[in-house]
Amino acid sequence: MSGNGWLRPKKSRQKLRKRGLDNPGDLTTISSRSSIKNGPGVSVDKDLPPLPPVAPLQAHRLKYKEAHSRIDTQRGENRDYTALIHALGLEDPFDDDESWPRRERDEEGERPPGEPVVASLPSHLWTQIAGYLNPKDAVCLALASRTLYARLGKAPFEALRRPENASHKLALLLTLDRYLPRHLLCFPCGKYHLRSQPGCEKLQPSDALVRNPVFVCPNARNMLRRAPRHRIAHGWSLPFSLVQLATRAARFGPHYGVDVDALARRWKGKSGDSEDGWSHSTRFLIHDGRLLMRVVSQCFAPPNLSPSGQRLLLFSRDDYFPYFSVCAHWRDGELTQVCKCALTHVPEELPRGPQSIEAKFKNSLLMGPRRPTAATAPTLCGFCQPMRRCPKCPTEYLIEIKLSEVRNHHHRGGVEFRHALVVTRWSDLGDGSAPSTSLEWAACNGDQAGAGYDSFSRLGKRAISGIFEAKISSDNTGIPGRRIMSMNPGNVKGGDDWY
């Protein structure tokens, strides 16, 4: 291997030669540089570079800084884009938009104050300008500055107090909701009242609303100025103040109202001093700033009810309203007819107790598909199975016959299953702004402000029930898809078919 020359050192590429020196002084320099390696009097083919004036690391930094300089070599401009962006964002806006918050630079004289310009116009001219505005905007103009208040005087405020301008006054007061978390606007009085129990408001029966009110109102017992409320079920109603608190808490924060989950309640209905057999449960949800409500009402239904028995089961003897939750248009359509049709599908129960051999054999023959038992869920027909939507308000209904358990001490195990009529209602109660401006609230209550509401054109294909159940379900599945039909396909108003 050594014969091949693999282990020999490589030959140097620098050739050494002797040359004559023109300058005798160079001999000392070259010999001093090359005496260590090459010996005295021997020089390399090329002169060594001079030593740098600074250390090598510092020379490298200077060279890198010169190569990456932010000064453009062609134009001599600074290429610091960060400084340019900060200059655009802090000093001048990107577009000429007057809504951009410009800095006030009165000391430099670039933007003089506008008070002298406002004061230069006479009072009668400002009064004429305010005459073209509605009462709310005129008051906002008077409150813009002290100069405008001195020019306009108290005339806009006196015009706002007139009874015909009550809607403009409420619209002006609604703008103060953000600044009054411990107060609530009372629409009958047109004032802000201090909340009596901040954060502890809850849904209560109708007879307890005055005993434990949201705020102390002087018109609480005035029937001519009733507080707006919506009927949930027999003996229960939802005041508009709770809708305000729920939507304000979702819009501004928890200190402005109550949590929407705190409004959920479960109760058993009463007719006088006795129970009517119905049980109800409510739940609420905030979606896109609006309050959605779901009310589930159920009652155990015996089979083969007569028409009079169906009326006693569905309607109250006090006001002839249904026991379950309905909107204001429940008479205009087929809602009660659908409930009566569902009651006809309740199957008969088999006899209990000791039976003879012949009775057991007869009952075994009745177990076929023609005679469903109490342990099977009935099938509804094509008339009562689809969901119904009210065409005049955002409300949907679902009528079902379900198996529900009931406590029975005489039954073995203490639990017995019976068929029950279940009526589920979903409604959109609006954004809680005002009873007159919230279109959904006015439509559900049948007020004049909600006249002309078309639920099929506004809601479209997305059902309120689908939105609600998809929000509260853990697996985001919701309820099974159902065909939605109009509750009033013939557009009939009133009539006697509802009873």
Side-chain angles (χ1 to χ4, degrees):
M1 295 178 63
S2 61
N4 296 333
W6 291 353
L7 301 179
R8 293 180 181 179
K10 294 183 179 180
K11 187 177 181 181
S12 176
R13 297 179 182 178
Q14 295 180 357
K15 297 181 180 180
L16 303 179
R17 62 173 183 169
K18 295 182 179 180
R19 65 177 180 178
L21 299 177
D22 299 335
N23 189 5
D26 295 340
L27 180 61
T28 307
T29 305
I30 297 175
S31 60
S32 61
R33 292 181 181 177
S34 59
S35 60
I36 300 176
K37 275 191 173 182
N38 306 324
V42 182
S43 64
V44 296
D45 186 24
K46 189 176 182 181
D47 295 339
L48 295 176
L51 293 176
V54 293
L57 181 60
Q58 185 66 18
H60 173 72
R61 291 177 178 174
L62 294 176
K63 183 178 179 181
Y64 181 82
K65 185 177 181 180
E66 182 180 358
H68 296 79
S69 175
R70 295 182 179 179
I71 303 298
D72 195 348
T73 57
Q74 300 294 333
R75 295 176 295 178
E77 297 179 355
N78 188 4
R79 295 185 300 181
D80 190 359
Y81 303 112
T82 305
L84 294 176
I85 293 175
H86 279 283
L88 290 174
L90 298 179
E91 296 181 4
D92 295 323
F94 291 99
D95 53 356
D96 192 10
D97 186 7
E98 296 192 7
S99 63
W100 187 274
R102 294 176 177 270
R103 295 185 302 176
E104 297 291 337
R105 289 173 288 186
D106 297 340
E107 65 278 4
E108 299 177 2
E110 298 183 12
R111 185 177 180 181
E115 293 294 333
V117 180
V118 175
S120 62
L121 298 179
S123 300
H124 67 88
L125 185 58
W126 279 113
T127 304
Q128 186 177 0
I129 293 174
Y132 290 98
L133 305 176
N134 56 45
K136 174 196 170 184
D137 296 339
V139 171
C140 293
L141 180 64
L143 295 175
S145 64
R146 293 185 178 181
T147 306
L148 287 172
Y149 179 75
R151 292 291 185 270
L152 294 175
K154 297 182 180 181
F157 300 93
E158 294 175 355
L160 193 66
R161 294 192 186 98
R162 297 173 184 172
E164 60 270 17
N165 296 329
S167 59
H168 297 283
K169 180 180 179 181
L170 294 176
L172 178 63
L173 293 176
L174 283 173
T175 59
L176 305 176
D177 254 359
R178 184 186 298 272
Y179 310 102
L180 300 171
R182 295 183 62 87
H183 294 73
L184 196 65
L185 179 60
C186 178
F187 292 95
C189 299
K191 300 178 181 178
Y192 273 91
H193 294 319
L194 183 65
R195 295 162 58 187
S196 56
Q197 296 180 354
C200 300
E201 296 89 352
K202 60 182 180 179
L203 184 63
Q204 295 181 351
S206 300
D207 55 354
L209 288 176
V210 180
R211 299 175 187 174
N212 188 15
V214 177
F215 46 76
V216 179
C217 177
N219 293 317
R221 298 181 181 274
N222 188 359
M223 300 304 296
L224 299 178
R225 291 187 177 183
R226 295 189 61 183
R229 61 183 63 185
H230 178 72
R231 181 186 182 276
I232 298 179
H234 180 66
W236 285 71
S237 60
L238 176 68
F240 189 76
S241 57
L242 292 181
V243 181
Q244 290 178 266
L245 293 174
T247 52
R248 288 206 324 170
R251 192 182 306 119
F252 303 129
H255 300 291
Y256 288 82
V258 295
D259 189 9
V260 69
D261 294 332
L263 301 179
R265 295 295 301 273
R266 299 173 66 95
W267 73 91
K268 290 186 178 181
K270 290 185 178 181
S271 180
D273 296 334
S274 60
E275 296 183 357
D276 53 20
W278 285 83
S279 60
H280 310 271
S281 65
T282 59
R283 188 164 183 177
F284 298 86
L285 177 70
I286 297 293
H287 176 71
D288 288 343
R290 300 191 305 274
L291 183 66
L292 306 184
M293 178 184 67
R294 184 190 68 181
V295 186
V296 181
S297 307
Q298 70 172 11
C299 179
F300 293 106
N304 299 328
L305 278 175
S306 61
S308 60
Q310 293 176 358
R311 299 189 190 103
L312 291 174
L313 182 69
L314 296 177
F315 300 101
S316 171
R317 301 296 96 186
D318 299 336
D319 51 3
Y320 289 93
F321 267 68
Y323 285 112
F324 52 88
S325 181
V326 291
C327 63
H329 314 95
W330 64 273
R331 292 187 180 93
D332 306 337
E334 303 173 344
L335 179 62
T336 56
Q337 301 299 327
V338 172
C339 296
K340 293 177 182 179
C341 180
L343 290 174
T344 60
H345 296 282
V346 178
E348 296 183 5
E349 299 180 2
L350 294 177
R352 301 184 182 90
Q355 302 176 11
S356 61
I357 299 177
E358 292 81 2
K360 290 182 180 180
F361 179 74
K362 182 179 180 181
N363 293 333
S364 63
L365 295 178
L366 298 176
M367 295 287 289
R370 296 183 181 178
R371 186 81 174 274
T373 63
T376 59
T379 303
L380 303 181
C381 63
F383 177 71
C384 57
Q385 185 179 17
M387 297 180 62
R388 303 285 173 160
R389 176 184 291 177
C390 181
K392 298 182 180 179
C393 68
T395 303
E396 296 172 0
Y397 300 94
L398 177 63
I399 292 89
E400 299 173 295
I401 299 293
K402 289 185 177 181
L403 281 173
S404 181
E405 65 177 26
V406 57
R407 297 291 178 179
N408 190 355
H409 300 286
H410 301 286
H411 190 267
R412 182 180 299 178
V415 177
E416 181 184 2
F417 288 90
R418 294 178 57 187
H419 288 96
L421 174 66
V422 182
V423 181
T424 308
R425 174 197 172 189
W426 295 271
S427 293
D428 187 353
L429 300 180
D431 56 356
S433 56
S436 57
T437 59
S438 181
L439 189 60
E440 291 81 6
W441 172 270
C444 290
N445 287 275
D447 298 337
Q448 187 64 27
Y453 185 91
D454 189 3
S455 61
F456 284 92
S457 61
R458 286 183 172 270
L459 299 178
K461 297 182 179 180
R462 187 67 187 273
I464 303 176
S465 57
I467 297 174
F468 195 98
E469 300 299 331
K471 287 281 187 178
I472 66 174
S473 58
S474 57
D475 53 354
N476 201 18
T477 56
I479 61 175
R482 292 279 186 112
R483 186 163 55 106
I484 300 179
M485 298 179 60
S486 176
M487 191 183 74
N488 190 7
N491 198 15
V492 179
K493 186 175 182 181
D496 299 332
D497 296 340
W498 59 271
Y499 191 70

